[in-house]
Amino acid sequence: MPTISTPSKIAGTKSHGANVVFSGSTSDEREAVTADIIKKTGATLVPPYDHPDIILGAGTQALELEQQVEDMLAADPSLGVPGKKRLDAVIAPIGGGGMLSGICTALHGTGIKVFGAEPNFEGSNDAELGLKQGRRIEKVKTLTIADGLRTPVGEIPWSIITDKEKLEGVYSVSEEQITAAMRLAMERAKVFIEPSAAVGLAVVLYNEEFRRFVEGEGKEEGWNIGIVLSGGNTTMEAMAKLFQAPAKAMERAEGKVTVNGEHVAENVPG
């Protein structure tokens, strides 16, 4: 695991009996350490995303989501778009691409459109850029807050997401938009998620290109969109850092500074 992994992710992994070996944060550094472990121990590598079995396993969540939405709308049609009994689209994060390519595979032929979501900090939107350039980007070096998505798309997932019949497109969002989506999920939905899990929600809320596409396809009727929130590997300390207000904003909240920056006496009624 990268040395900069969140403490809760490290502790959670160890709690399952794993022997955690640390590496650098780039995919090249991780793969070098992995190769060394295999050489020394004869261990078998179970790829995190670049393997057919992993991809197919990840795709089962799409089947569950599809069925759950149909059951939910059958029980209460008012929860969705009037007259529609199923999903129109699903959006999920993409890092190495195992999960998204699995979802693409599971929903292929159903008529449900699939979209990918990425952070765009320091070129972390390698899937989006790669699709526009017509080539897989093999190296990604970024410190986006969405740390679970800091890896380039694998070869097998790339062969799936480049199929336009399986993936409609990939959209990206800023660090600020990811943080805002996390806040909404926690404050309104009471769902505790990590930054990587919030990128799909952030795209739906803030990416204007995606929103225009949905408006054009869904017309006045609209769409039922399923958003995959995958992962809660973070800590309260990390969350506190993300949501820490700037000093001036905090002073205003405490009644010390006006919106014009003027200092005033504290706790003065009115």
Side-chain angles (χ1 to χ4, degrees):
M1 297 176 72
T3 54
I4 58 174
S5 298
T6 58
S8 62
K9 184 181 290 187
I10 297 168
T13 305
K14 287 182 176 180
S15 73
H16 290 291
N19 174 31
V20 176
V21 180
F22 293 103
S23 71
S25 61
T26 67
S27 57
D28 284 346
E29 291 170 312
R30 294 195 299 272
E31 288 168 10
V33 172
T34 301
D36 188 52
I37 293 171
I38 292 172
K39 184 178 179 181
K40 290 179 179 178
T41 67
T44 299
L45 174 65
V46 179
Y49 51 83
D50 207 4
H51 191 282
D53 292 347
I54 302 297
I55 290 169
L56 292 174
T60 61
Q61 67 189 285
L63 302 179
E64 291 180 23
L65 176 58
E66 181 184 20
Q67 188 60 56
Q68 287 170 357
V69 170
E70 289 182 10
D71 293 345
M72 179 183 73
L73 294 177
D76 187 355
S78 68
L79 294 173
V81 172
K84 290 194 174 184
K85 300 179 180 179
R86 62 199 300 266
L87 283 167
D88 292 289
V90 171
I91 185 166
I94 177 169
M99 179 174 70
L100 183 63
S101 59
I103 292 171
C104 287
T105 302
L107 297 181
H108 180 52
T110 64
I112 300 172
K113 296 184 184 296
V114 180
F115 298 88
E118 285 183 300
N120 54 32
F121 183 67
E122 296 179 335
S124 49
N125 54 330
D126 62 293
E128 180 183 36
L129 295 173
L131 289 172
K132 289 178 179 178
Q133 297 170 16
R135 65 181 182 89
R136 184 173 76 91
I137 295 174
E138 299 180 14
K139 308 290 182 185
V140 176
K141 190 173 183 179
T142 173
L143 289 178
T144 172
I145 58 173
D147 61 334
L149 308 178
R150 289 176 180 168
T151 185
V153 179
E155 292 184 18
I156 299 174
W158 178 255
S159 69
I160 295 171
I161 70 167
T162 50
D163 186 338
K164 293 184 179 179
E165 291 187 2
K166 294 179 180 177
L167 182 74
E168 192 68 35
V170 176
Y171 297 86
S172 63
V173 283
S174 69
E175 305 290 272
E176 293 76 16
Q177 290 168 336
I178 294 170
T179 303
M182 288 180 68
R183 181 185 291 275
L184 182 69
M186 289 188 289
E187 291 183 348
R188 299 292 296 275
K190 314 305 179 189
V191 175
F192 188 88
I193 55 175
E194 65 180 276
S196 300
V199 290
L201 178 59
V203 166
V204 171
L205 292 171
Y206 307 116
N207 187 291
E208 289 304 319
E209 184 182 355
F210 176 80
R211 292 171 66 84
R212 284 195 299 271
F213 181 88
V214 173
E215 288 172 359
E217 292 286 317
K219 305 290 190 297
E220 292 182 6
E221 185 180 35
W223 268 6
N224 288 324
I225 302 178
I227 304 174
V228 176
L229 305 174
S230 59
N233 292 309
T234 188
T235 63
M236 294 307 298
E237 290 78 13
M239 298 293 253
K241 270 188 176 181
L242 281 178
F243 296 115
Q244 185 175 9
K248 284 189 176 180
M250 291 176 70
E251 287 183 335
R252 284 203 299 274
E254 294 169 359
K256 296 179 182 179
V257 179
T258 70
V259 291
N260 297 320
E262 300 170 347
H263 282 75
V264 297
E266 294 182 54
N267 301 320
V268 177

